[in-house]
Amino acid sequence: MDAGYLGLFTEETSLYNRIVLGGLLPASAWEPMPRFLQTWLRNYIGGTLVYFLSGFLWCFYIYYLKRNVYVPTDEIPTKKAMLLQIYVAMKAMPWYCALPTFSEYMVENGWTKCYSRVSDVGWLAYIVYMSIYLVLVEFGIYWMHRELHDIKPLYKYLHATHHIYNKQNTLSPFAGLAFHPLDGILQAVPHVVALFLVPTHFTTHIALLFLEAIWTANIHDCIHGKLWPVMGAGYHTIHHTTYRHNYGHYTIWMDWMFGTLQDPIDDGSKKVM
């Protein structure tokens, strides 16, 4: 890519910096920072806001507005459990934000297959490329997640931090990002690796990274949505109780293909949306 085209990526990320940092901080506090640090700070602020907004709004809806509708009162996580999840997630957040910061740096320097405008490839190609991107991400996250269970030292020192939440009354939307920092980064790495393999719309890539916070909040709320083939909370709650099933991220397809799928038990007592 020529320097002029790469400048489109720089302009876009500069706009994001101005929106987030310029909207919350005085110019004197962030404009003198090196560009890389500006990007990290923007990602940190944005990621933290998305985490808390999605977590609090979803908890308020399912535990208070719809109390006893989706989750029985005696199975609502304790405040202590949710505060611990927030503590673990916020300790890891500065490290999580390093990954999109590095991915933006690589994109701005032309090291990936990213493109800036949908018009550069057309809508049909955009849909095809994004479909391939999502399949690669699903495949990568499935196997990364599975190996974090199968390789015992990885589970003991990394993934076990997340699996202390192994019952419905300990799982909440705030558990979605409650990982050891390296664990969380490893499971997001397929998003970045895919940039080197398939042409990817840059804005969509950034949006998907931040939508992870909303998605992970959703799959830890223990409510089985019954929306095939989505790997919803009903499937993921089973993962937290058996440890050997439902490693997938967005869909059940990888678990189906590799023999690790277990359907939620519909005994009539579970509330569904």
Side-chain angles (χ1 to χ4, degrees), residues 196-217:
F196 294 89
L197 303 176
V198 59
T200 306
H201 184 234
F202 178 59
T203 308
T204 305
H205 162 70
I206 294 297
L208 285 171
L209 283 178
F210 280 90
L211 283 172
E212 288 288 323
I214 299 173
W215 179 251
T216 55

Side-chain angles (χ1 to χ4, degrees), residues 12-256:
E12 183 173 342
T13 53
S14 295
L15 174 62
Y16 298 153
N17 289 346
R18 290 194 299 273
I19 291 171
V20 176
L21 301 181
L24 297 173
L25 301 172
S28 59
W30 65 273
E31 286 185 348
M33 291 180 180
R35 179 174 180 78
F36 189 85
L37 187 56
Q38 288 182 17
T39 301
W40 174 86
L41 182 60
R42 179 248 297 165
N43 287 330
Y44 177 74
I45 293 173
T48 300
L49 288 174
V50 170
Y51 174 70
F52 278 109
L53 283 172
S54 60
F56 277 119
L57 290 174
W58 198 233
C59 285
F60 179 72
Y61 179 74
I62 63 176
Y63 299 149
Y64 294 97
L65 288 183
K66 296 293 184 178
R67 193 178 188 88
N68 240 349
V69 175
Y70 299 128
V71 181
T73 300
D74 59 353
E75 294 183 2
I76 293 175
T78 64
K79 291 180 181 178
K80 181 179 179 180
M82 289 190 280
L83 286 172
L84 176 60
Q85 291 160 11
I86 291 170
Y87 172 72
V88 173
M90 292 314 298
K91 276 205 312 181
M93 188 66 75
W95 300 100
Y96 293 162
C97 295
L99 187 66
T101 303
F102 275 108
S103 75
E104 289 182 36
Y105 179 81
M106 291 185 289
V107 169
E108 290 172 359
N109 283 276
W111 301 348
T112 70
K113 292 181 177 290
C114 274
Y115 58 92
S116 176
R117 301 162 298 205
V118 175
S119 60
D120 293 335
V121 298
W123 281 104
L124 178 60
Y126 169 82
I127 293 170
V128 171
Y129 288 147
M130 282 311 304
S131 298
I132 297 171
Y133 172 92
L134 289 171
V135 169
L136 290 173
V137 168
E138 185 76 13
F139 178 85
I141 292 177
Y142 172 87
W143 279 106
M144 186 67 75
H145 191 184
R146 185 167 172 174
E147 294 310 303
L148 282 162
H149 280 265
D150 290 347
I151 300 175
K152 299 308 179 186
L154 291 182
Y155 182 83
K156 179 179 180 180
Y157 295 109
L158 298 182
H159 200 51
T161 299
H162 184 64
H163 271 276
I164 64 171
Y165 318 111
N166 57 9
K167 298 177 182 178
Q168 181 157 327
N169 63 359
T170 61
L171 282 166
S172 84
F174 288 114
L177 292 181
F179 290 89
H180 184 287
L182 184 55
D183 182 1
I185 290 171
L186 286 173
Q187 293 198 61
V189 158
H191 277 283
V192 178
V193 172
L195 301 182
F196 294 89
L197 303 176
V198 59
T200 306
H201 184 234
F202 178 59
T203 308
T204 305
H205 162 70
I206 294 297
L208 285 171
L209 283 178
F210 280 90
L211 283 172
E212 288 288 323
I214 299 173
W215 179 251
T216 55
N218 175 265
I219 64 174
H220 288 88
D221 64 13
C222 298
I223 301 171
H224 182 29
K226 289 188 175 181
L227 184 63
W228 186 91
V230 174
M231 177 64 74
Y235 289 96
H236 197 71
T237 302
I238 288 174
H239 172 74
H240 273 265
T241 55
T242 71
Y243 297 77
R244 307 303 302 171
H245 301 92
N246 303 350
Y247 299 103
H249 192 53
Y250 296 121
T251 73
I252 65 173
W253 289 334
M254 293 299 162
D255 285 283
W256 175 74

